[in-house]
Amino acid sequence: MPREKIKCITSIGGQALIEGIMMRGPKKTVLAVRQPDGEITLEELPAKDPRTRHPLLKLPFLRGVAAFVDSIAVGYRALSRSAEISGMEEVEEGEESKFDKWLNDKFGDQITNIVMTIGTVFGILLAIALFYILPTWLFNLIPGAAGPGFAVWRSPAEGLMRMVILLAYMTAISQMKDIRRLFQYHGAEHKTIFCYESGEELTVENVRRHRRFHPRCGTSFLVLMLLVGIFIGLFIPFSNPLLRTAVKILCIPLVMGIGYELIRYCGRNENMLTRIIAAPGLWVQRITTKEPDDSMMEAAIAAMKEVIPENGEDKIALKSDS
């Protein structure tokens, strides 16, 4: 009979930024971003987990929805701030076009927020069209797709199409220079957390030795949501693309909640079941994480050191079978 071992992991998590890393600890959230002159800027980002203010959000499944919404909100603020610190938002001096002048005269400092809001709305609509409406529409093109014999295959087929679209998109954008650097910082984040969990000193040499694929990653959570969505889709009887999409959107909180509980279980246990659950996400991380250079690991280490609590409250017992 296998003997159960207990080792510790950390609750500290992170996110790759533009030329930097964000690390979130139990007490602080810190950005480490490299400026154009090469210096690393450390900046604490005000961020409080909504689950600490509302006890109901600590309940299973609800905590998953709260954690996802919170991570999106904080991550968006951190990404915007990293763009400012890194110099990406600096505009070259030159004469404004008549259209740019009109926008500035009409909206002033609000123009950036307006453009980002429009871009976000457009992105959400595009995601709904690609990941929900398109797969259902394509499946309906199959002769006899509306018949009872094909019904059981609808959700798996749609899920497969969504996965192919996601992988194709990630692969395509990973070829862009800026996105590749973002994925390298993602790798630096994972390697640094692994180094800390192993109990080693946080140095570039030590961090470099660790792997870049981490089971408690946003990529793994996204893949789990897709897989859970396939299961839930089996119980949605509609074949009309718009109606089916509307029901799936209403089921997103449920998908989030189940996906979060699964990745939480994988984060606290190490056995054959968790390895099977984590495998698809770890495989996709081969696209979303790249090997970082030393400067990227330096930024990840700088952010990590700032959020490690002195009392060790970030430590979580990990149960594993040997």
Side-chain angles (χ1 to χ4, degrees):
M1 184 175 179
R3 181 171 57 87
E4 188 180 71
K5 286 184 178 180
I6 303 293
K7 61 180 181 179
C8 287
I9 59 173
T10 180
S11 64
I12 295 172
Q15 178 182 316
L17 304 175
I18 297 170
E19 294 303 324
I21 298 282
M22 174 184 72
M23 289 290 186
R24 296 191 72 178
K27 299 295 184 183
K28 295 194 298 183
T29 297
V30 173
L31 317 182
V33 182
R34 198 170 290 278
Q35 300 178 81
D37 62 5
E39 293 295 319
I40 295 176
T41 292
L42 292 172
E43 184 173 303
E44 185 172 350
L45 186 71
K48 190 170 184 179
D49 192 330
R51 290 170 293 180
T52 62
R53 299 193 299 268
H54 305 287
L56 283 177
L57 297 181
K58 294 182 180 180
L59 296 176
F61 302 106
L62 288 180
R63 61 191 174 193
V65 178
F68 181 81
V69 173
D70 178 60
S71 65
I72 292 295
V74 175
Y76 179 80
R77 286 162 50 204
L79 201 61
S80 298
R81 183 61 184 139
S82 70
E84 296 173 2
I85 297 173
S86 65
M88 176 169 282
E89 290 191 348
E90 290 182 2
V91 181
E92 294 183 5
E93 294 184 4
E95 185 178 349
E96 286 185 322
S97 67
K98 291 183 178 180
F99 180 66
D100 290 336
K101 189 175 186 304
W102 179 83
L103 287 176
N104 286 325
D105 290 341
K106 290 292 183 181
F107 302 105
D109 295 337
Q110 297 299 315
I111 186 61
T112 300
N113 292 331
I114 292 172
V115 171
M116 293 183 75
T117 301
I118 293 173
T120 300
V121 172
F122 178 76
I124 292 172
L125 293 176
L126 183 61
I128 291 173
L130 286 177
F131 288 95
Y132 291 99
I133 298 176
L134 180 62
T136 301
W137 178 75
L138 289 176
F139 188 85
N140 286 346
L141 294 179
I142 301 174
F150 277 85
V152 70
W153 298 107
R154 175 179 290 278
S155 188
E158 291 176 355
L160 179 61
M161 283 187 273
R162 284 196 294 273
M163 186 67 74
V164 169
I165 292 171
L166 177 66
L167 293 178
Y169 171 75
M170 287 182 170
T171 301
I173 65 172
S174 69
Q175 305 307 309
M176 301 168 59
K177 180 181 176 181
D178 290 338
I179 299 298
R180 184 175 180 82
R181 286 188 63 82
L182 189 71
F183 287 173
Q184 285 181 281
Y185 275 106
H186 192 188
E189 172 217 331
H190 286 182
K191 291 164 80 77
T192 302
I193 290 175
F194 270 131
C195 182
Y196 172 66
E197 290 177 332
S198 70
E200 299 175 18
E201 183 183 358
L202 289 175
T203 65
V204 171
E205 291 74 18
N206 289 340
V207 168
R208 191 186 296 122
R209 291 197 299 267
H210 290 272
R211 66 184 187 275
R212 68 179 196 268
F213 312 121
H214 203 291
R216 302 185 308 279
C217 171
T219 300
S220 294
F221 178 63
L222 180 60
V223 172
L224 273 177
M225 284 181 59
L226 289 176
L227 296 177
V228 171
I230 293 174
F231 176 75
I232 292 178
L234 294 172
F235 301 95
I236 301 176
F238 308 112
S239 59
N240 178 277
L242 295 180
L243 183 57
R244 189 172 177 83
T245 295
V247 175
K248 283 188 175 182
I249 290 175
L250 291 175
C251 289
I252 286 178
L254 177 61
V255 173
M256 287 181 188
I258 296 175
Y260 178 83
E261 296 303 321
L262 286 174
I263 203 166
R264 191 172 187 269
Y265 175 76
C266 289
R268 287 163 169 74
N269 297 271
E270 189 175 285
N271 51 49
M272 181 59 70
L273 176 61
T274 60
R275 284 190 282 272
I276 292 172
I277 295 174
L282 293 175
W283 185 85
V284 176
Q285 285 181 44
R286 295 179 182 277
I287 301 174
T288 63
T289 64
K290 303 297 181 184
E291 284 296 330
D293 61 31
D294 289 359
S295 67
M296 296 170 179
M297 288 182 278
E298 287 173 358
I301 291 170
M304 187 73 176
K305 287 181 176 179
E306 291 294 315
V307 302
I308 297 174
E310 295 181 358
N311 60 2
E313 63 182 290
D314 64 302
K315 299 293 185 180
I316 300 173
L318 174 67
K319 296 181 180 180
S320 63
D321 297 334
S322 61

